[in-house]
Amino acid sequence: MEPVKIDDVQKLINSFANKEVYIHLETTNGSYASHFDEKFFNAGAFIRNAKVEYELGKIIGDPPSRVGLKLGDLGWIYAQGITHYELDDKGRLLMAGHDHQGKLAVSLQISETPFE
Amino acid sequence: MIEQENHVLVVFPHPDDEAFGVSGTIASHIKNGTGVTYACLTLGQMGRNLGNPPFATRESLPDIRKKELKAAATAMGLTDLRMMGLRDKTVEFEDDEYMVEMMESLIKETNPSLVITFYPDYCVHPDHEATARAVVRAVHRMEKRPKLHCVAFANNTAEELGEPDVVNDVTEVMDVKLNAMRAHISQTAWMLEDLEKRLGENDPEAIQWVTQERFFNYRFDQGYI
């Protein structure tokens, strides 16, 4: 993965628009967050292989950046904190946000084929 | 000295779970000529450590962790490694009975005199808890139960369970233990750097951490069945 270059990521997001794609969206503090700090309220979520079609997608803001995908008339997909990206060897756009220690905090991935 | 066993079955959900608390015990049993089976339920697909700068992605991580798991097994001299094909963070959502049956079939096949897993309610991560519950239930149902040693590390462990009743001195295989941890480098780099520095300074807590492994015999009379 490499640090986000807005223009390049925007082009890649555009290349998946108006196609049926599979999404992996995740936020996480790690399962041990409340173990190390009992006052920490640990929340996280992931959805994997959600099949959608977005008509418009944007990446905005100096990294850590925000990505929003507009689904038809009603739906949205949103991720905040994106710092890194890669078009992998399977042609999937992998975007991730790594915290100050390098640990994954958020992930948004777009693929024309299901994730394993 | 570590007690002689006929066969040892170790069940944990993540590659590297074995390295921290149990790799010295595994290596000691193997050194004694005892067969050891390690059933690892997931490939740790959802790990947060991807390197800094990142060398892995959410999608390449499972392959990396699979290779690390095999390398850790090699470091410990372990030849019977089972990868059970579940997905990180989802173990507690599997059907409970399916999980118990998975453990029953592992126990039936390997016929262990000792089973090692986490201690339910004292192992922090939801995957650990679900794994531990399934193992405890499977052992509980057996007519002739093997010994069940559990790793507990929740913050309330000492207060509620007291002191561990099994403490294995693994000083002799300390290097093997360190090598098992090094094998899981994608997940352990940050803590190994600190640990090796403290070992270099003869920090007593760090030395105790790599030379002693602590377990609780599962208390069937008061716990999770």
Side-chain angles (χ1 to χ4, degrees):
Chain A
M1 291 204 133
E2 58 176 308
V4 158
K5 291 196 292 272
I6 295 281
D7 293 346
D8 194 29
V9 177
Q10 183 63 60
K11 275 185 206 137
L12 291 167
I13 289 173
N14 293 348
S15 74
F16 289 93
N18 300 306
K19 288 177 184 170
E20 205 166 71
V21 291
Y22 295 87
I23 299 286
H24 173 94
L25 174 66
E26 169 186 0
T27 66
T28 175
N29 299 303
S31 296
Y32 294 99
S34 305
H35 174 67
F36 294 128
D37 175 3
E38 290 186 356
K39 291 198 182 76
F40 192 93
F41 182 83
N42 200 1
F46 78 87
I47 182 166
R48 190 164 174 84
N49 285 325
K51 204 184 198 180
V52 303
E53 194 172 319
Y54 61 86
E55 59 179 40
L56 183 66
K58 283 189 192 175
I59 179 162
I60 293 185
D62 289 333
S65 307
R66 301 173 302 283
V67 174
L69 308 177
K70 187 176 188 184
L71 311 179
D73 294 334
L74 290 168
W76 286 93
I77 289 169
Y78 168 84
Q80 178 173 18
I82 298 295
T83 58
H84 288 77
Y85 78 113
E86 167 179 316
L87 189 69
D88 79 355
D89 56 5
K90 292 181 176 148
R92 307 179 290 198
L93 175 55
L94 311 182
M95 294 174 278
H98 296 262
D99 69 13
H100 300 303
Q101 296 172 300
K103 296 187 185 212
L104 187 83
V106 60
S107 166
L108 172 57
Q109 305 183 152
I110 307 170
S111 171
E112 289 186 53
T113 53
F115 295 97
E116 300 94 57
Chain B
M1 263 324 280
I2 204 160
E3 222 170 302
Q4 181 71 40
E5 301 295 339
N6 293 325
H7 192 85
V8 179
L9 172 65
V10 179
V11 188
F12 291 126
H14 309 121
D16 80 7
D17 284 338
E18 87 296 345
F20 296 106
V22 186
S23 54
T25 298
I26 291 175
S28 302
H29 283 298
I30 290 169
K31 216 175 158 196
N32 284 351
T34 306
V36 180
T37 301
Y38 174 29
C40 187
L41 304 195
T42 82
L43 290 176
Q45 292 93 335
M46 301 296 269
R48 299 177 72 218
N49 294 317
L50 303 175
N52 190 16
F55 60 83
T57 69
R58 202 12 107 243
E59 299 310 310
S60 67
L61 189 64
D63 283 342
I64 291 169
R65 296 199 69 178
K66 189 195 254 186
K67 285 190 190 113
E68 291 176 347
L69 176 60
K70 288 179 179 167
T74 303
M76 293 183 290
L78 183 131
T79 51
D80 190 12
L81 171 66
R82 313 285 179 95
M83 291 182 257
M84 306 302 290
L86 300 184
R87 187 174 177 85
D88 194 2
K89 275 194 168 175
T90 68
V91 180
E92 64 183 327
F93 305 110
E94 293 285 355
D95 179 75
D96 291 331
E97 194 57 30
Y98 165 77
M99 290 298 300
V100 177
E101 282 163 16
M102 180 189 289
M103 303 311 159
E104 282 177 334
S105 104
L106 281 165
I107 292 169
K108 197 173 167 197
E109 189 204 325
T110 60
N111 191 26
S113 53
L114 168 66
V115 178
I116 297 176
T117 189
F118 286 114
Y119 204 113
D121 296 334
Y122 298 95
C123 51
V124 181
H125 192 300
D127 286 343
H128 297 178
E129 297 288 356
T131 304
R133 286 196 297 270
V135 173
V136 164
R137 282 173 172 149
V139 173
H140 180 255
R141 288 181 193 178
M142 296 177 68
E143 261 178 49
K144 193 170 174 297
R145 292 176 192 157
K147 283 181 283 184
L148 180 52
H149 290 176
C150 301
V151 174
F153 66 102
N155 294 330
N156 57 348
T157 301
E159 194 183 317
E160 293 179 15
L161 289 183
E163 287 302 307
D165 41 16
V166 179
V167 179
N168 290 336
D169 181 343
V170 297
T171 309
E172 265 189 34
V173 290
M174 190 179 108
D175 288 339
V176 176
K177 185 178 172 78
L178 284 168
N179 284 337
M181 286 190 273
R182 286 177 192 128
H184 294 287
I185 193 69
S186 74
Q187 306 305 301
T188 53
W190 58 278
M191 61 84 62
L192 275 176
E193 196 180 331
D194 177 58
L195 178 67
E196 293 186 6
K197 182 167 154 271
R198 287 167 63 200
L199 287 174
E201 291 162 357
N202 287 319
D203 176 287
E205 206 183 313
I207 291 169
Q208 191 189 13
W209 202 78
V210 290
T211 58
Q212 271 192 11
E213 292 182 348
R214 301 143 66 87
F215 303 90
F216 293 84
N217 274 291
Y218 187 74
R219 299 168 195 174
F220 284 98
D221 57 330
Q222 49 178 259
Y224 210 101
I225 51 171

